[in-house]
Amino acid sequence: MSTYESYAEYYHDLTKYTPEGIASSKHILDFGNQPVPYKEYPNKKTIDLSYLLPLDRNPFSDVGIKNPTDFTKEEKELALISKLLYFTNGITAMIPYEDKPFYMRSSPSAGGLYPTEIYLISSGHEGLDDGIYNFNVLKQVLVKLFDGNVKEKLSKALFDNPDLESGSLFLVLTGVFYRSSWRYQDRAYRRICLDTGHVIGNIDLVSDHLGLKALLFGGFKDKEVNEILSLDEDEEQALAVIALVNKDKKVNEKSEKSRTIPSRLDNKNIKTPEGIRLIQLHNRSSIEENVKVPDIKIENIEEKIKFSSSISFEKTKENFNWQNNLFNTIVKRRSTRSYSSDPISKEELGLMLDFAYHPGPDYFDLSLLQTFVAVNNVTGLEEGCYFYSKDGRHLRQLRFKNLRDEVYYLCLGQELGYKASAVVFHTADLSRAVFKYGERAYRYLHLDAGHIGQRLNLAAINMDLGVSGIGGFFDDKVNELLGIPEHEAVVYITTLGVPVKPVA
Ligand SMILES: Cc1cc2nc3c(=O)[nH]c(=O)nc-3n(C[C@H](O)[C@H](O)[C@H](O)COP(=O)(O)O)c2cc1C
């Protein structure tokens, strides 16, 4: 008899980094079989989107950038799609290594492995023929994979959710497992979902900027969505579906047909060898039928720590005004490689945290995630460890101590953890989460944490601060640092601080 209620908890435990595990790891990177971070479809028809971008010059081809005032009606529609895809996951920088260039994207990715693929489904959309397209980031083109209308099939796979009806464009985000498991083995599933969450964060903001609302669907019949895209399920599977609808469209907030649907729990034959746990977790979290979400309350950690008085953030400005600088911020976003150890201010920290949760982006289920902050150097705040209440928008101090050494150690000795001014931790009570959403909870948690991470990224960059995600950490050491129970799973870490500016 297994002692795990779910495969997700088993997977989580067995993919924890421990000092002993890292020291004894025999994994070496197989550079002969290094994955390629994009898909090639020779002989398929393509639609060039590059010359429609709002850039000074076209980095993708010799075709010059076209002046928007000269766009045809069709090009106007394609330009919107081009912007959406480019500022979501397009190529925004290149490092000219000797053997081959390394392309960096508008979304960050653990290890720069980019496991997330984006497919676009068009159905009755003016300016783009019905069909299924793959977004080729290397050329900024759409590759037509299938000619025809698949909306009915998609709708069926999404349990005929009425929120889908008014959409004529749909995105399917998939994870190409090997791209990330090549380096991170079974633990890669965490990073694939976090990476995809970052992509979702961009989609949410960019869509809004373009007058669209991105409706996020996590609950769908996996087999049917994968089949629509003709995916080889051993290699790649769908993680999220997004309907792009008019911004003014009313969504069914309390609809019986939730967009975050549970899967079953599947702890049968739980003992599985290393190397197949990633695909096992994904497959065991697949959905075949629509099960209602059980009405359970996720324990609020704050109720237990009320003894420490709350520290509120003064709101110095009404969130961020992205009107003129969302695209610039996305293009200049890079993960900080080195912090100066200088302080950020309490107000800056408050603004970044506030932006992560407000005004209400489309998350799967935020109630599952808890937020903690280790303060290394923030003016206006004592050093130590804090709980952040996303609803109350305040902090409660848990530990009064300089934690730099501990954070440095638990981030696997990465200097980012030591020199960051503040380090944000997202954790979740995994046993409650799987009770609510079955094995699928693991996806939702990591996709949401990545999404939050992307908002923290953009808020930091917008204020000329530094930021980097940390996907590699000694899990149990984080619990020790935060003083949270063992069953609380650490999902993601984001470091924030003052970047060391490159010497001019
Ligand atoms: C989920 C996730 C985990 C990451 N983990 C680390 C990490 O542990 N250490 C690190 O230095 N950078 C980490 N990064 C940053 C990536 O290395 C970075 O995104 C990638 O090299 C691409 O560079 P860019 O973000 O500047 O575009 C992480 C990024 C993501 C999205």
Side-chain angles (χ1 to χ4, degrees):
M1 257 298 274
S2 120
T3 53
Y4 292 99
E5 287 293 318
S6 66
Y7 192 84
E9 288 160 290
Y10 168 81
Y11 167 91
H12 189 75
D13 263 3
L14 270 78
T15 55
K16 281 181 177 174
Y17 284 151
T18 60
E20 306 74 42
I22 295 265
S24 63
S25 169
K26 296 199 169 51
H27 181 61
I28 37 170
L29 291 178
D30 177 4
F31 283 98
N33 287 306
Q34 199 171 354
V36 180
Y38 45 81
K39 298 186 86 165
E40 297 272 25
Y41 298 95
N43 309 323
K44 293 271 185 204
K45 196 182 143 206
T46 61
I47 300 172
D48 186 11
L49 300 175
S50 66
Y51 71 98
L52 303 166
L53 285 170
L55 303 177
D56 294 337
R57 58 165 209 96
N58 186 349
F60 300 99
S61 86
D62 296 335
V63 181
I65 293 288
K66 191 165 179 179
N67 189 330
T69 52
D70 300 332
F71 284 173
T72 62
K73 208 169 154 215
E74 190 186 68
E75 281 174 334
K76 270 189 195 150
E77 288 302 322
L78 289 178
L80 182 134
I81 292 169
S82 185
K83 282 188 252 188
L84 176 67
L85 295 173
Y86 180 74
F87 294 108
T88 287
N89 205 24
I91 291 174
T92 51
M94 189 263 279
I95 305 179
Y97 287 127
E98 229 165 67
D99 51 344
K100 57 177 185 284
F102 176 67
Y103 294 105
M104 299 164 101
R105 314 247 186 124
S106 42
S107 280
S109 163
L113 296 166
Y114 304 105
T116 311
E117 277 291 319
I118 303 182
Y119 297 84
L120 177 70
I121 293 176
S122 173
S123 162
H125 189 77
E126 232 180 287
L128 186 64
D129 289 345
D130 288 356
I132 304 174
Y133 302 83
N134 175 258
F135 171 46
N136 180 296
V137 291
L138 204 57
K139 303 194 183 100
Q140 183 68 21
V141 299
L142 287 175
V143 183
K144 190 159 198 184
L145 304 180
F146 178 81
D147 201 3
N149 196 327
V150 294
K151 184 168 175 182
E152 215 178 298
K153 275 191 186 167
L154 186 69
S155 178
K156 208 174 131 263
L158 272 66
F159 303 102
D160 293 315
N161 193 306
D163 288 337
L164 217 65
E165 271 161 30
S166 72
S168 56
L169 289 177
F170 308 91
L171 300 173
V172 185
L173 307 185
T174 67
V176 181
F177 305 129
Y178 179 67
R179 284 188 199 160
S180 189
S181 67
W182 170 73
R183 177 169 192 160
Y184 299 117
Q185 302 158 280
D186 283 325
R187 188 170 162 126
Y189 193 64
R190 303 186 188 201
R191 288 173 169 105
I192 293 168
C193 292
L194 290 168
D195 279 3
T196 305
H198 276 271
V199 171
I200 290 172
N202 274 352
I203 292 175
D204 191 84
L205 284 166
V206 176
S207 304
D208 185 71
H209 197 71
L210 296 171
L212 297 168
K213 179 152 183 57
L215 297 178
L216 194 52
F217 292 81
F220 48 83
K221 294 181 206 168
D222 297 73
K223 280 233 160 323
E224 293 185 16
V225 174
N226 294 335
E227 225 169 83
I228 292 171
L229 301 179
S230 307
L231 301 179
D232 176 344
E233 290 189 332
D234 291 335
E235 295 190 354
E236 177 183 8
Q237 295 203 38
L239 292 169
V241 178
I242 291 166
L244 298 166
V245 299
N246 196 300
K247 220 181 190 171
D248 314 320
K249 163 100 177 62
K250 284 223 163 16
V251 291
N252 300 12
E253 295 291 354
K254 295 265 176 291
S255 164
E256 283 293 290
K257 303 222 172 188
S258 167
R259 290 182 269 126
T260 308
I261 295 173
S263 71
R264 65 200 189 291
L265 283 173
D266 183 359
N267 64 354
K268 288 188 296 294
N269 305 321
I270 205 162
K271 272 198 174 170
T272 36
E274 223 178 307
I276 66 162
R277 290 177 193 143
L278 182 164
I279 191 80
Q280 281 280 322
L281 173 59
H282 186 84
N283 287 343
R284 286 173 192 241
S285 70
S286 68
I287 291 176
E288 280 144 34
E289 56 187 341
N290 191 353
V291 185
K292 252 193 103 182
V293 182
D295 190 15
I296 64 154
K297 193 171 174 290
I298 300 291
E299 190 182 46
N300 183 356
I301 288 195
E302 197 183 6
E303 281 164 17
K304 292 189 176 166
I305 47 171
K306 279 229 176 89
F307 54 84
S308 134
S309 62
S310 70
I311 303 164
S312 299
F313 290 106
E314 278 164 43
K315 284 188 84 186
T316 48
K317 58 176 173 172
E318 262 311 308
N319 238 310
F320 292 83
N321 172 16
W322 294 108
Q323 207 52 40
N324 296 318
N325 57 17
L326 177 67
F327 291 166
N328 283 343
T329 306
I330 289 177
V331 167
K332 73 175 188 201
R333 182 212 60 77
R334 293 272 72 91
S335 298
T336 298
R337 299 296 81 192
S338 183
Y339 293 112
S340 70
S341 301
D342 290 341
I344 60 169
S345 70
K346 180 184 157 200
E347 286 69 33
E348 286 167 334
L349 178 63
L351 283 169
M352 289 186 277
L353 290 170
D354 199 42
F355 177 65
Y357 305 102
H358 307 280
D362 204 10
Y363 286 118
F364 291 111
D365 188 343
L366 263 197
S367 75
L368 302 178
L369 284 166
Q370 311 284 354
T371 313
F372 295 87
V373 186
V375 167
N376 285 341
N377 195 4
V378 176
T379 49
L381 285 175
E382 275 181 82
E383 289 173 340
C385 169
Y386 296 77
F387 170 83
Y388 175 69
S389 161
K390 48 188 178 277
D391 301 321
R393 295 170 157 161
H394 58 246
L395 294 169
R396 286 185 191 277
Q397 193 161 7
L398 303 170
R399 290 180 68 189
F400 302 78
K401 181 172 186 262
N402 182 308
L403 299 165
R404 276 190 199 276
D405 287 327
E406 286 174 60
V407 178
Y408 169 69
Y409 177 64
L410 64 83
C411 290
L412 312 183
Q414 298 189 67
E415 205 191 48
L416 290 174
Y418 186 84
K419 290 195 163 176
S421 314
V423 180
V424 180
F425 298 87
H426 282 103
T427 72
D429 180 339
L430 194 49
S431 58
R432 300 295 286 168
V434 296
F435 185 71
K436 192 166 180 185
Y437 291 111
E439 308 292 354
R440 196 85 159 192
Y442 208 79
R443 284 193 213 182
Y444 295 149
L445 284 171
H446 286 77
L447 289 166
D448 272 349
H451 184 167
I452 296 170
Q454 185 60 11
R455 288 178 77 91
L456 288 172
N457 262 257
L458 295 178
I461 299 297
N462 187 274
M463 293 193 291
D464 283 331
L465 295 175
V467 57
S468 177
I470 299 275
F473 45 82
F474 292 132
D475 298 71
D476 292 344
K477 299 285 171 201
V478 181
N479 294 57
E480 280 172 32
L481 176 104
L482 303 175
I484 53 173
E486 246 176 60
H487 64 253
E488 195 75 14
V490 185
V491 182
Y492 196 23
I493 298 179
T494 306
T495 58
L496 302 165
V498 178
V500 172
K501 296 261 186 267
V503 186

